[in-house]
Amino acid sequence: MRPRIGAARRAWGTLRGVEPTARTPSVVIVMPAYNAARTLERTYADIPHDRVERIILVDDVSGDETVEIARQLGLHVIIHQQNRGYGGNQKTCYDAALEAGADVVVMLHPDYQYDATRIPDLIEPILAGERDLMLGSRFLGDPLAGGMPRWKYVSNRFLTIVENAVFGLRLSEYHTGLRAYSRRLLETIPYDRNSDDFVFDQELIAQVVAAGMRRRVGEIAVPTRYFEEASSVGFQRSVVYGLSTLGVVLGYMLHRLGLRRSPKLTARSGS
């Protein structure tokens, strides 16, 4: 077996009496934004900027000053010409981050619900080569104390139990707005085939499991905040989301059993 390129370079440097300098991994934060003007500055202020190379905000035709504030903050801004939905926004986010050379991509909702100061702990397992997907979980703490509505707590717990049973994972939460991905993962799974709606995140996790990367998923505790300015999906939309999530689980089961193969759950060719 040939040695990995990194190991070969270190050996060559030692033979020459020169210690090679390792390239610092590029960490890019992406923000899928829609009417985030009231919370964007606070979210930005909590980001550990010394650990991040670039912040990309993708605006999905906001009706407020999201774009103006993002530009004042010095973010790299991409503007959709028409609303593409939460999932469609993320597709643009990840395409842009990979094009920018990201080794680690952090997806952060700009609504100030999630504690961005936890980003260094979130990405550390990926930088160490131990994980390819890290989730910032509200349920490793007390989300009710942070203001989460009880009906949302119950529905989240139910969906998480179902997903753990089917995906073979032991996560405390699947439905978080703070996530980190390795470049390898985003280049392996066909996220571009996913829904443009909120269920995009659950389809992505199903793809990760289908690609045989179950053991490369981890999570850390992240405190959350619920307040008037923070975006929140209403009850009716949450019902639709919950049913869509169960649909993702069913689709994964049918794919795994060979009863209905899904192109969404087939890794990119050459990966």
Side-chain angles (χ1 to χ4, degrees):
M1 181 183 295
R2 291 191 303 170
R4 290 164 52 184
I5 293 176
R9 285 176 177 169
R10 285 193 295 272
W12 173 245
T14 302
L15 287 172
R16 296 180 62 199
V18 178
E19 188 64 30
T21 301
R23 182 180 71 86
T24 301
S26 172
V27 178
V28 173
I29 292 179
V30 296
M31 293 183 179
Y34 179 71
N35 291 339
R38 294 183 295 176
T39 54
L40 179 55
E41 285 190 78
R42 283 179 283 176
T43 303
Y44 175 83
D46 280 355
I47 292 172
H49 296 277
D50 60 322
R51 302 294 299 274
V52 176
E53 182 171 310
R54 177 178 296 197
I55 303 174
I56 299 172
L57 182 140
V58 178
D59 183 75
D60 211 23
V61 196
S62 294
D64 61 9
E65 296 78 30
T66 296
V67 170
E68 290 79 0
I69 293 173
R71 286 174 171 163
Q72 290 170 10
L73 294 172
L75 309 189
H76 179 80
V77 179
I78 298 173
I79 304 173
H80 282 167
Q81 295 305 306
Q82 62 182 26
N83 188 286
R84 291 186 53 191
Y86 175 67
N89 193 315
Q90 285 197 70
K91 293 173 189 179
T92 301
C93 284
Y94 301 140
D95 287 347
L98 293 177
E99 185 177 348
D103 297 302
V104 179
V105 181
V106 177
M107 191 278 287
L108 171 65
H109 286 185
D111 59 4
Y112 200 57
Q113 277 195 20
Y114 298 85
D115 186 355
T117 66
R118 297 285 285 146
I119 287 175
D121 292 320
L122 184 75
I123 65 177
E124 185 56 38
I126 297 178
L127 294 174
E130 299 168 358
R131 295 287 187 267
D132 285 295
L133 167 59
M134 287 293 298
L135 304 177
S137 171
R138 296 168 289 185
F139 284 76
L140 288 176
D142 185 358
L144 291 175
M148 176 181 283
R150 188 165 294 276
W151 65 265
K152 185 167 290 190
Y153 177 93
V154 172
S155 61
N156 194 313
R157 294 304 304 143
F158 169 73
L159 291 174
T160 294
I161 290 170
V162 172
E163 289 174 282
N164 274 338
V166 173
F167 295 148
L169 295 169
R170 294 183 178 179
L171 296 174
S172 63
E173 180 183 16
Y174 286 74
H175 314 280
T176 172
L178 177 58
R179 301 160 178 256
Y181 305 96
S182 71
R183 183 181 188 91
R184 181 174 82 100
L185 183 146
L186 291 175
E187 289 181 335
T188 298
I189 61 171
Y191 62 82
D192 54 298
R193 301 173 190 169
N194 290 352
S195 168
D196 284 344
D197 211 335
F198 284 100
V199 78
F200 173 94
D201 287 336
Q202 307 316 308
E203 291 179 329
L204 193 150
I205 292 181
Q207 290 172 322
V208 171
V209 176
M213 303 176 77
R214 179 185 290 111
R215 297 183 183 275
R216 306 289 296 176
V217 181
E219 62 181 347
I220 65 166
V222 174
T224 53
R225 321 169 183 94
Y226 283 82
F227 54 99
E228 184 179 354
E229 291 88 356
S231 62
S232 184
V233 179
F235 180 79
Q236 185 174 354
R237 192 67 182 273
S238 292
V239 171
V240 174
Y241 169 76
L243 293 174
S244 299
T245 296
L246 294 176
V248 171
V249 171
L250 176 60
Y252 170 81
M253 292 175 62
L254 294 175
H255 178 88
R256 185 182 64 183
L257 295 172
L259 299 177
R260 189 178 71 190
R261 306 296 291 180
S262 170
K264 290 183 179 181
L265 299 174
T266 303
R268 300 183 196 275
S269 59
S271 297

